[in-house]
Structure formats: C-alpha cells, structure tokens
Amino acid sequence: MFEYFKSHKVITGIILFLLAIPFAFFGIDFYFRGGDAIGQVAKVDGTPISQQEFAQALQSRQEQLREAMDGRVDQAMLDSPEVRKAVLDALVDQQVSYRAAIESGIRVSDAELAKVIAELPAFREDGGKGAFSVQLYEAALRNRGMSREGFEALLRRDLMVGRLRTNLAATAFVPGQVLDRIYRIRSQQREVSQAAFDPQQMQSRVKVEDAEIQTYYDQHKDEFRIPEKVSVEYAVLSYDHVQRQVQVAPEALAAAYEERKAALQGAEERRARHILVSVPQGATAEQKAAARKRAEDLLAQARKAPDSFAELASEHSQDPGSAAEGGDLGFVPRKQMVKPFDDAMFSMQEGEIAGPVETQYGFHVIKLERIRATPVPGFDEMKEQLEADLRTQETNKRFAEAAEEFSNLVYEQPDTLQPVAERFGIEVQKSDWLSPQGSESAPLLNHEKVLDALFKDEAIKDRRNIEATEIAPTLLLSARVTDHQPSKERPLTDVRGEIVQLLTQEKAARLAQSAGEAKLAALGKGEDAGLSWSTPEMMSRDQRREGLTPEAARAIFSADTAKLPAYAGHKLDDGRYVVFRISRVVEASGMDAAQRKSLGRQVEQMAGMESASSALESQKRKAEVEINAKALDRAS
C-alpha cells in the first residue's frame, strides 16, 4: 500500500530536510502559529507565510547554493532580489499546492503517516535495520528542537502535496502517433563533417586603434578598479567546541537510565486491523447514517467470521493505507492514532472485534490482534544513546550561555578579541586581504552580514569588533579590521595590455564569424567554397560528437535535407564559427515493444510534469496572494 512512498525517493528527501532544519533557537511549533509577532511576508488565501518561515527557507536555499558551488559564491548573489523572490515563490507554490490537495480530497491517514515514519532508518534500531523505536524517534526530534506534532503535520502536508502532483501527472496521455513522431525525430541520424573558422587565426588581421582603447577604458572603468580591501582578525565560537568540553558523569547516566526505565515500564503496543467506511467532508446527516449502517453490517459479518476479518477488510475497507494489507495497522503505542480510535483500541481484549468507532475519517470496525509490552532495554544497551542525549542537553544549555557571554564580551571590549579567546579557549585567527565579495582563503568570513559589518565606517575607522554574528546554525563569529586598502582606479597605462587583448579577441571572433557566414552563403548557392572538411561522423540529436553544444546540434538538425549535401552554421562558445555539411540522412526503423514502452514512460513523465505544473499554475492564478514587500526586504 505504500509503494508510492517507497518508490519516490523525494519523500525520504523531504523527511531528511525537515530533520536537518536547524531549530536551535526556536521550535517548529512557531512555524504553524504564523509568527505574527515578527510579521508576515505574504498571505495565500488568508493563510500567512511568516517572516521566520521565509528566513528559514532562504537560509536553506543559500546553503544549497553554497554547497553546489563549493563555497565559491558571491555573497551578494545569495541574498539577491532574484533569490529572495524565488524562495518566496516556492513557499507560495507550496501553500497553493497544499490547499489544492485538501480541496481535491487527498488525505494521508494516521496509519499511513505512522507507517512512513516507522520505515525511516533514522528511527529504527540496529543502525536503521531493526524495529522502529519510539525512543529514537522522539530523541531525534527533541535534539533538533522539533515537536512530534509539528514534524508530523509538516510531513503529512508534504506527502499530500506529493500525492497531488502524482495524481495530476498521471492524467497525461501521449497518443501513439505522437510517440512515433518523437521517436523518428530523436533517432534520425545525420552524417556530418565540419569546417571551423578559428578567431586565433584571424588575430594577425586585427588592428586596435588608440581611440578604441581609450573608449573601452572610459566605458568600463569600474571593471578596472582595485576593490576596497580589509585584513581582519576574527574569533569563532562553535557548538562542537563547547561539546568537546562536556563530560557526562556516571551517576547522571545511572539516574537518566532509571528515569527512562520508569517511563518505559508498563508501556505497551497493540496490533489491530480495521475496516474504514469513509465519510466525505461536509456529509449530510443521511450520508453519515448510511455510512454508519454500512459499518454496522460489516461489524456483524466480522463477528460471524472473525478469522476472515483480513479478507473482509481487503474487499470493503476504504482506507487506501491499509486495505491492501487486510486492514493491518502494525504495532502502535498509545497516542499514535486519532483519539477515538486510540481509546477504543486500548480498551479492547485480544481477539475482540468492536465498532463502529467514529473519527474524522468515517466509521471504523476494529479487530485487536495482539497486545505486547514494550521491552525495557538494559543499561548497557541504552548507555550510548543516554550519554548522547545527556551530552546534547548539556551542550545546548552551555552553548546558549556561552553565545550570550561571547556576544557581550565582544561588545563590552570592542577594541580586542583577546578576552573571548582566553575565556573560551579559542584562537584569534588572521585573514589575508578580504574584498566586499569575500575571500576563498577565509570562507567563514564570507557571510553577508559579516562582510557588510566589516566594510562599514565604524569598523574601518575605529577598528571596533563587529557584532557577534551567527554565520551558520550554532556557529558565532566576531571580527575586527586590522588594515584597510581603499578602492582605487587602475590607470590606463596599467590595463592597456588587457584591453588590447580583449578587443583583439572580439574583433577576431567577428572576423571568423563573417568569414564562416560568407562561405555558408556560397555553399547555399551551390558554389565551391574551397573548404577542408573533417572526417564525416554519424550523429543523432541524443548522441552527438564530444564538444558539440545542444545549440549547434539544433542547427544541424534544423537544416533542410531535401537536397544533399545540406549545410548549417553556428558560433560555438569558444568563439569559433563552424560550418557543418550534412551528407547523408538515415531514418530510424520502427520501435520494438521495449523501446516504445521506455519512450512512452519518458514522454508521459515529461508531459505529466508539465500537466501538473500547468494545473498548479492555474490554481495559483486563482489564489488571492498578498505580498508584504516591506517585511520581505532584507533590511527588515
């Protein structure tokens, strides 16, 4: 029943993303309260997107960009209006998709949600291979400052959105004639040779005048400026540094074990099957009565043949999350299910069949299969996890205290970082020259707030410590300028050679393109252009020679081949202009069954994605979206 979740790795990605969000200083429950205290960046049909939610999504996106670029990224680009708008658009799309999923009647039952969570390796014993552990689950959320209700609400939302997109994509249909046409286009081969016009060979014909050099310099002076630079010293307080100083006393471990053991003793899990007769939202009294009567009939049938309950559930249950497995919900602890269901299940005896139990999903007929007590692990078995939990708790406390003291010290003694270095046992580091765009040699200084502060007048003129800045979750940094080099203009005499080289390359590329286009025009008239062609090679749209860009391939396959040889031309990214000669065309033979199936799957997937995007874009146009531009601004 969970093939959707098992076969879509994006679900695992969603869950890992939710767990990876650094909620060190605020709980996820805030995420759902709307954050009115700090404003809203947008509303979608009245539902707010909080400023905190936007800030968290922006930070996550910036981290993705840094990772994708190996840290070599312009800090201004990370917080550019384009990036901020893209993040907000994604949050709006997410909210629109969620509302569309609700309106489409998509639901993720508690049983489905529980099973998805239970199958996550992060919450299973024996390194992800064993049974689901409630203790591991709660510890993982607790360590990240997340509530169980908040995490499950987010996960349910994202599963619903994923199912909506899958449902929309499944509506795409590609006729057989279209598949045949696509196959012929993609599989057609053309025999191609080429003649290249290299700008390097044209440079001897280029002359750059003094007036051109002066004009270029005057129009591009900013490109030849030496940027303002500073060198700094800085100190970093990290969570890891604090954690290394935390030791867990044996008596604390023993006390924690006794507390955990007391909580576990007497706990139990129950395994049940159920049959759901669903009731749609907004159902009339007559519809509810009919559903209850149907559930009562199924209850009577189940009690007459208790051993056939699974078959009865498979045939009649309307719960998509369990019907295929005979209504089996697996072992669950208390408070895992919705309250009416949970209360009923934990009041039953093994083998008992009860119902109808009414929940927001409809009416349930329940059979209790088995009751088992939760085993209490021994001290040695729990020691490692208990020690990790206690160390995390103590580190969280100490880091919060240290962060406050660190911030106070750099403010109270603004002309030196030595006090924080001595207090926390950290090193004052020194940087090379640093520009407003950052430095590869000191990546910790490349945070936008740090760079902004370092290039302010008070930091440069007064050499004061900048405010302690959280450059990453649980990573604080302060710095002070030790030397400064103002921005200055490079004189023309210093950059003349660079300008001559640039202008020479530009002119040579234009000459190469003009020469190539002239030869292409001559060939088009049937004239002998006197070109030296490379060895012909067969190529298709999907399989082209190395170094040939998609744009060049498009030019080749757009050429009219009614009369051969045919010709096409294209300017490559390296400045060369290439004339292509097409001497032979080989049409594809018909597809076999395997090829048709594979291509059909690819095309339907693309069409499905387009269909889903179009449907959701239509929903977005209908939605009432309000943007609070002032709250969205980076200065807010």
Side-chain angles (χ1 to χ4, degrees):
M1 64 179 176
F2 287 95
E3 284 73 18
Y4 172 81
F5 305 116
K6 293 176 182 176
S7 61
H8 287 67
K9 293 183 180 179
V10 69
I11 297 303
T12 301
I14 289 169
I15 295 166
L16 292 176
F17 169 76
L18 295 178
L19 287 175
I21 294 175
F23 292 101
F25 302 108
F26 55 90
I28 198 171
D29 284 338
F30 178 88
Y31 204 92
F32 300 98
R33 294 199 297 268
D36 289 336
I38 60 168
Q40 301 163 359
V41 294
K43 280 187 178 181
V44 181
D45 288 332
T47 300
I49 296 174
S50 73
Q51 200 170 47
Q52 187 67 68
E53 184 177 357
F54 171 76
Q56 192 62 57
L58 177 62
Q59 183 181 11
S60 297
R61 181 57 181 151
Q62 289 170 338
E63 290 302 321
Q64 290 172 357
L65 290 171
R66 284 193 188 95
E67 185 176 346
M69 300 180 185
D70 294 326
R72 295 188 295 273
V73 57
D74 184 348
Q75 297 306 302
M77 184 274 285
L78 290 180
D79 202 28
S80 66
E82 292 79 14
V83 170
R84 298 173 73 84
K85 181 179 184 301
V87 169
L88 181 59
D89 285 346
L91 289 172
V92 171
D93 289 347
Q94 184 182 57
Q95 186 61 40
V96 169
S97 299
Y98 181 47
R99 293 181 67 84
I102 294 172
E103 292 170 3
S104 300
I106 292 174
R107 298 291 182 270
V108 173
S109 70
D110 288 349
E112 288 179 288
L113 189 67
K115 187 141 188 179
V116 170
I117 293 171
E119 289 177 351
L120 281 172
F123 307 142
R124 299 173 76 93
E125 297 171 344
D126 298 330
K129 299 177 183 177
F132 172 75
S133 167
V134 175
Q135 289 73 38
L136 285 178
Y137 177 43
E138 292 180 344
L141 299 184
R142 185 170 58 250
N143 290 343
R144 291 164 177 81
M146 300 175 73
S147 74
R148 183 168 173 168
E149 294 79 9
F151 171 73
E152 291 177 3
L154 275 177
L155 178 57
R156 190 191 301 273
R157 180 199 65 188
D158 288 321
L159 293 173
M160 289 171 62
V161 170
R163 184 176 289 175
L164 171 70
R165 291 181 178 275
T166 298
N167 291 349
L168 291 172
T171 62
F173 171 72
V174 181
Q177 299 94 321
V178 174
L179 275 183
D180 290 337
R181 175 64 177 158
I182 292 173
Y183 177 75
R184 287 196 301 272
I185 290 172
R186 288 181 57 175
S187 302
Q188 185 194 77
Q189 292 185 303
R190 295 189 173 191
E191 185 180 62
V192 180
S193 51
Q194 66 180 44
F197 295 81
D198 193 337
Q200 294 288 337
Q201 298 172 353
M202 303 289 182
Q203 288 190 5
S204 60
R205 297 165 51 187
V206 172
K207 183 178 180 182
V208 179
E209 303 290 345
D210 288 344
E212 294 176 293
I213 298 171
Q214 184 67 54
T215 299
Y216 189 94
Y217 177 76
D218 291 341
Q219 293 176 350
H220 300 83
K221 280 187 177 180
D222 286 345
E223 296 176 15
F224 299 110
R225 290 189 69 85
I226 298 174
E228 180 182 19
K229 295 178 181 179
V230 295
S231 60
V232 306
E233 60 181 21
Y234 60 100
V236 179
L237 178 68
S238 71
Y239 186 92
D240 290 343
H241 177 77
V242 174
Q243 188 175 54
R244 284 193 292 271
Q245 302 171 36
V246 174
Q247 300 296 323
V248 179
E251 55 270 24
L253 270 178
Y257 175 71
E258 292 302 321
E259 183 181 344
R260 185 71 59 87
K261 184 170 71 171
L264 291 175
Q265 283 175 338
E268 65 179 29
E269 295 178 319
R270 297 195 168 204
R271 181 175 185 173
R273 296 181 185 270
H274 82 133
I275 302 169
L276 171 65
V277 179
S278 64
V279 176
Q281 282 189 334
T284 63
E286 291 77 10
Q287 288 175 313
K288 290 187 70 173
R292 179 183 288 276
K293 177 64 170 60
R294 175 65 175 151
E296 290 170 347
D297 291 343
L298 290 168
L299 173 64
Q301 293 179 53
R303 284 175 170 167
K304 286 180 182 178
D307 293 341
S308 300
F309 192 95
E311 289 79 6
L312 199 65
S314 295
E315 183 177 354
H316 297 287
S317 179
Q318 294 174 310
D319 176 13
S322 68
E325 296 187 12
D328 187 13
L329 299 174
F331 280 102
V332 292
R334 271 196 178 276
K335 298 183 181 179
Q336 186 90 6
M337 316 300 283
V338 291
K339 189 176 187 307
F341 193 104
D342 191 76
D343 290 344
M345 182 171 64
F346 277 86
S347 67
M348 297 168 63
Q349 302 297 317
E350 282 191 10
E352 183 181 351
I353 298 174
V357 175
E358 184 177 0
T359 70
Q360 65 262 45
Y361 303 107
F363 295 95
H364 306 257
V365 177
I366 306 170
K367 180 183 179 184
L368 185 62
E369 296 274 323
R370 188 180 160 199
I371 301 173
R372 74 178 182 188
T374 303
V376 180
F379 177 77
D380 289 340
E381 189 178 347
M382 294 184 66
K383 180 180 177 182
E384 185 177 343
Q385 183 62 48
L386 287 171
E387 187 172 4
D389 290 349
L390 290 176
R391 180 175 285 107
T392 297
Q393 291 169 17
E394 181 63 19
T395 304
N396 288 344
K397 176 186 173 185
R398 290 195 193 181
F399 183 77
E401 294 170 350
E404 182 176 2
E405 188 176 357
F406 181 94
S407 300
N408 290 338
L409 279 174
V410 299
Y411 175 76
E412 292 165 358
Q413 301 189 50
D415 57 350
T416 176
L417 291 171
Q418 204 56 41
V420 294
E422 294 171 359
R423 169 65 184 85
F424 298 107
I426 56 181
E427 179 187 357
V428 176
Q429 304 176 62
K430 299 184 183 297
S431 77
D432 294 328
W433 286 111
L434 186 74
S435 78
Q437 283 71 48
S439 165
E440 289 187 14
S441 64
L444 292 179
L445 296 171
N446 289 346
H447 190 279
E448 184 203 10
K449 288 184 178 179
V450 172
L451 293 171
D452 282 350
L454 287 172
F455 283 90
K456 282 186 171 19
D457 283 347
E458 57 263 32
I460 293 172
K461 293 179 180 178
D462 301 334
R463 301 290 199 264
R464 300 173 69 88
N465 297 336
I466 67 168
E467 179 182 344
T469 304
E470 185 184 8
I471 59 173
T474 64
L475 200 64
L476 285 178
L477 178 146
S478 180
R480 60 184 296 271
V481 174
T482 56
D483 201 357
H484 175 243
Q485 182 182 94
S487 173
K488 62 180 181 180
E489 211 173 80
R490 294 170 68 192
L492 178 57
T493 52
D494 287 357
V495 298
R496 180 184 177 86
E498 296 175 37
I499 296 174
V500 169
Q501 184 178 4
L502 284 168
L503 293 176
T504 299
Q505 290 172 346
E506 288 180 7
K507 286 190 170 187
R510 287 197 294 271
L511 286 175
Q513 183 169 349
S514 296
E517 288 174 345
K519 294 293 186 181
L520 182 62
L523 291 167
K525 297 174 183 177
E527 299 173 5
D528 181 7
L531 296 177
S532 177
W533 299 100
S534 66
T535 303
E537 294 181 36
M538 296 299 295
M539 60 179 287
S540 67
R541 283 177 170 82
D542 294 335
Q543 296 178 330
R544 55 184 183 270
R545 68 170 59 185
E546 186 177 352
L548 197 64
T549 64
E551 294 76 16
R554 194 174 300 120
I556 291 168
F557 282 90
S558 298
D560 184 1
T561 55
K563 180 181 178 182
L564 296 175
Y567 301 94
H570 184 75
K571 182 181 178 181
L572 301 182
D573 293 339
D574 60 8
R576 290 182 301 147
Y577 187 86
V578 181
V579 176
F580 300 101
R581 180 177 65 178
I582 302 132
S583 50
R584 187 159 62 100
V585 176
V586 178
E587 299 292 348
S589 57
M591 284 184 287
D592 59 30
Q595 289 173 320
R596 178 175 289 276
K597 183 177 180 180
S598 175
L599 180 61
R601 201 161 42 234
Q602 293 176 41
V603 175
E604 285 186 359
Q605 183 179 21
M606 290 187 291
M609 290 171 63
E610 181 63 29
S611 175
S613 296
S614 297
L616 292 174
E617 188 61 33
S618 176
Q619 285 288 122
K620 188 175 177 180
R621 285 195 294 270
K622 295 176 185 176
E624 184 178 343
V625 179
E626 302 174 34
I627 304 296
N628 181 356
K630 184 177 180 181
L632 181 61
D633 187 81
R634 66 168 57 91
S636 60

